[in-house]
Each structure stands twice: as structure tokens, then as C-alpha cells.
Amino acid sequence: MRKICFIFVLLISSHAKLFAQQDSVRNIVQQRQLYFSDSLSMISYSFAKLSPLFLSQLMPAQLSTISAGHQFEKGKFVNAQGSTQTNTVFLSSEGITDLKGIKLFGAFNYQKTMEDSTRFSHQTRNNPTTPYYFGSPANNHYERSTYDFKVIGAKTLSGNKITLGIGLDYRIADHFANNDPRGSVKEYQLNMRGMLGYNVADNVKFGLTYLVGYGQEKVTIGYKNRTYYESISYPNYVNYLINGYGEPIPKTSERNYNDFQTRSGLATSFAAANTKLGSFYFIGTKVNEKQVYDYRTGSEITDLSYYNLAKLDLNLLWIKPIFAGNLGVNIAYENLAGEDFNLDFFAKNYVYTGQKINLQVNYTITKNSSTYNYLIGAKQTSEERIDGITGNLVYFKNVLLNAGLGVNRKVANHKSFGAYAGVHYGLPVTEKLQVSEANESYFTKEVIRYNYLFNTANRYGVSASATYSFPFFNTMQAAVKVNAVYSKNDKMKNLQRPTTAIPGNERFFNNISFNLYF
């Protein structure tokens, strides 16, 4: 009897120990999921990807995620070369760990996107300022498969005085239209960086980064219906060459080109953590990119156009505990300056200038089992495109204001619920449309005027999201997320000129995903 009692007690204690271990693991993985319910943590997590210098201070020690989902967009309140309906399925995974003293972050993302009603844009979605591309009036159904890989590593040496960092971003993508004119764009991008950092003190660091990159886009236009092949008798199916920001010309032969891209630059980063005024993180990046467009046959290479693009990014994050919560302020500035060299005229023709200033203020407070996130933000966007041959000049500046409130609450059995609601309102600040009536034709009416109306329209909208999290097996935490955004065209400019196309009134976006944290 004593032996039976002893065995029974042993079994109970072993089961209790096992349950305690499982409970401990569940606590850890739930905390990793709850990390993303804190808006300030999410901002810090995203900011850390900008430089190896920030990995150890702004990212958790250990975290892995896998996400799969679907997103849907629909509505005609979109720019002229955008898609009126888009379906995307995605699969992504990323994580941070420590490997023999090396802080290592890695990410993979796959997207399969199907666009309906894309016009005048046989392009990728990653080179929007380019002056040289093909386009067609017909509505194209585009399918895009994109693979993105990212690796960032940081290692401290010499008693934590020196930080060495590396980074690699690689993208390969295939974009094609499955109806005439059948555009096909193959895309390859590789960007690398190396960083040397010096730790002035335990909480103060400086870093200098050298960046270098290479990219290529291979564009081909084909037809299944031979009737459209080398004819302009069917206007909707004509392939046009847009070269600048004026009226394009029909391109019925030699409908392919390569865009070779090379880029290099420097970045300066700075981190001062846990000072009396809070924690400060800053990075400034300047990159110069050269694009060479050419046409190739088996016997020769003919240059078509040159385009230089300079990009300046400044990004500041400030975090400070205030009252019972944490305040975070993120200010981001981006400036793009591009100019081409038109080989038809042997002169500069197209000039592009774009600027974005984004201010986001987050306040997060945790009480008992609930986390509350408060958000206000403002974003100013400006853009100017000049075409020297036609004298076209289009400029706009607008502001988008937004605010939101979110809450996430833990409940029993390692489960949690989250919800968010937000509003946004956009309005134009200043604009200029200088297009000679003598130069106005189909592209001007369908694209240039259309985009001017879209970018200078007043708009408002709402957003909402919900999250439900629960244990998944014994070593992971799962979360189902749903979010939606609705935007409404409130008011457009009156051009007092005849128009053949104007932006629609609404745009809707929604996303649903299944996420694992471990």
C-alpha cells in the first residue's frame, strides 16, 4: 500500500511539473504575441530594421513569427495607373535570435497579387518615378509574384566598444498581364550594406554604413491576337512608349527593353538609450541611383534613356516613459530628386521631385490585463513632374491626418482579444497644373489630369481591426487578425476643361491573416 501511494504521489508530482513547464512555455510565447499588440513595440521593431546598430536595443532577444493571409482592395478612388480591384495572398516569416554572440534578424515574404483594370502601366510597383516605360489604354489583368528576403546581423567586439553590422535585401519578381497587350516584367533587386559602429558609452552609439545595390527590369510586350500585333487600327490595344510626362508615341515594334540599375550611398546612425530625456534613435541615408535603359539584339546594344535618382531619408524615433505609460514619437522625412537624359534630343527633359514628411505619436499604457494604444499622426506629401519638351508642369501638396484608439485584453487560458478603430482625413494644401491645350491628347486626359484630380481631392475614411489570440499546440501562440479601411472621395477640383475620365468615389481595403508566434 505504501508503494502504491508513493507511485501515485510521484506521478502527480511529475504531471504537475510537466504542466508547470507547459504553462511556462505558454507564458513565453503569449508574451511574444502580445509584443505586437503594443503599438510602440511595433514601431520600435520596424525602426530596428533600418540599421544593424539598433537590433540589440529595439528588438526582443528572441522572437519568430509566421503569417499567412489574404487581402482585398476594390474601388475607383485610386490613381490612374493603379488597379481598381486587387487580390493578394501572402506568406511571410521573420525572426530575431542570438547566434554565438551575433544578433541576427531574418525575414522572408512571398506575395501573389492579381490586379484587374490596370491601364497605361506595364511596370513593377517599385519604380514609380521612372520617365521611361510602356503603357496601353486597354484594361490589363496583371499577376505579380514577388519573393523578398532580408538578413541583418550585428556583432560587438573589443569589450562592446565596436559594432560590426551587415545587411542583405534580395527581391525576385515576375509581373505579367494575361490579356492583350501582354506585358511581362522580370525584376531582380539586390542591396547590401556594411556598418561600422562605435559605442561611446553603454547607452550611446554611432554607426556609419556603406550601401551598394544592383537591380534589373526586363520588359517585353506581346500579343496573342495577331490583329493587334503591328497595327494602330485598334486604339485600345496599341502599345505606347511613355518617355517623360507628355503624350506618348505608339511603339509597334521593338517592344522590349532592359532597365539596369546601380545604386550606392552612405548612412549615419545614432542611438542614445535610457537618458533623462528618454531614448533617441536616428538614421540618415543618402543613396544615388543610376538607371540605364537599353534595347538588345544578338548583335548590338542600343541605349534608349538615362535616369538618375537621388534619395534622402531621415528618420528619428524618441521613446520616453510618461506617467504610467510610454510615449513614442516617430518623424520620417523622404526626398526624391530624379532627372533623365533624353537620347532622342540629347538633353535633360524630365524632372521629378517628391517629398514626404510623416509624424506619428503613440502613447501606450498597460493596466491590469489590458493594453491601451493611442495614436495621432500627420503626413505631408508633395510631388512635382516637369516635362521640358511639352512644358507640362504638375505639382501638388496634400496633408493626411489620422487618429486611432486600440485595446488588447488578456483573458484566461492564455487567450486575448484586441480591437482598434481609427479615422483619417486628407486635404490639399497647394497645387499647380500647367498643361498646354495644344499638347492635350489621350494620355493627358486619361492619366495626367486624372492623377492631378486624385492627388488634390479631399478625402476621409475610417479603419477598424480585431484580433483573437489563443494557444496553438504547446509551443506556439496563434492569432487571427482582421482589419478593414474605407476611404471616400469628398471633393475634387473643377478643372473647367473637358475630361474623359475622373477618379471614383470610394476605396475599400480588407485583410485577414493567421499568425503564429514562437
Side-chain angles (χ1 to χ4, degrees), residues 315-380:
N315 214 316
L316 172 67
L317 176 63
W318 173 54
I319 301 173
K320 181 174 175 56
I322 292 181
F323 303 115
N326 290 297
L327 176 69
V329 178
N330 184 205
I331 304 174
Y333 171 83
E334 177 188 85
N335 187 79
L336 296 175
E339 61 181 37
D340 76 341
F341 187 81
N342 190 307
L343 292 178
D344 292 334
F345 299 92
F346 284 93
K348 180 173 70 174
N349 171 54
Y350 170 85
V351 177
Y352 174 90
T353 304
Q355 189 180 91
K356 294 179 182 178
I357 304 173
N358 191 14
L359 170 65
Q360 187 170 334
V361 180
N362 288 76
Y363 183 69
T364 300
I365 184 170
T366 300
K367 294 181 179 180
N368 300 323
S369 298
S370 298
T371 299
Y372 300 90
N373 298 298
Y374 304 88
L375 163 69
I376 57 171
K379 182 178 181 180
Q380 177 184 286

Side-chain angles (χ1 to χ4, degrees), residues 410-437:
K410 291 195 298 181
V411 294
N413 300 318
H414 299 92
K415 297 179 181 180
S416 66
F417 297 88
Y420 172 85
V423 295
H424 59 270
Y425 182 75
L427 67 160
V429 177
T430 183
E431 64 280 326
K432 185 175 184 180
L433 177 64
Q434 180 179 301
V435 178
S436 170
E437 292 188 28

Side-chain angles (χ1 to χ4, degrees), residues 55-206:
L55 287 183
S56 60
Q57 293 178 320
L58 291 178
M59 279 198 174
Q62 182 95 20
L63 178 65
S64 296
T65 69
I66 297 176
S67 299
H70 173 265
Q71 63 186 41
F72 173 76
E73 285 186 82
K74 185 175 182 179
K76 294 186 178 181
F77 187 48
V78 65
N79 70 71
Q81 292 157 307
S83 167
T84 57
Q85 180 171 302
T86 304
N87 280 280
T88 301
V89 293
F90 60 88
L91 174 66
S92 64
S93 177
E94 59 185 57
I96 181 77
T97 190
D98 192 290
L99 184 65
K100 295 183 178 180
I102 301 174
K103 196 72 173 178
L104 191 63
F105 171 84
F108 163 76
N109 182 57
Y110 165 74
Q111 288 190 342
K112 176 69 173 182
T113 301
M114 287 147 284
E115 297 180 353
D116 287 330
S117 301
T118 296
R119 305 175 66 232
F120 277 111
S121 182
H122 295 298
Q123 298 175 273
T124 71
R125 295 297 185 190
N126 304 308
N127 193 17
T129 72
T130 176
Y132 196 98
Y133 59 96
F134 290 147
S136 310
N139 290 322
N140 279 118
H141 176 90
Y142 254 93
E143 297 188 15
R144 308 179 188 272
S145 299
T146 305
Y147 301 83
D148 285 296
F149 305 86
K150 179 188 289 286
V151 176
I152 309 172
K155 170 72 174 177
T156 57
L157 303 170
S158 302
N160 294 332
K161 285 291 185 182
I162 304 295
T163 302
L164 297 179
I166 59 169
L168 183 146
D169 296 276
Y170 178 65
R171 176 194 296 138
I172 181 170
D174 182 20
H175 316 257
F176 67 92
N178 58 18
N179 62 314
D180 290 342
R182 298 169 185 267
S184 173
V185 185
K186 309 291 185 182
E187 179 189 10
Y188 314 89
Q189 298 289 341
L190 175 64
N191 294 299
M192 296 172 287
R193 51 184 158 168
M195 186 209 72
L196 176 63
Y198 181 72
N199 303 356
V200 179
D202 290 339
N203 60 339
V204 180
K205 304 178 181 180
F206 292 90

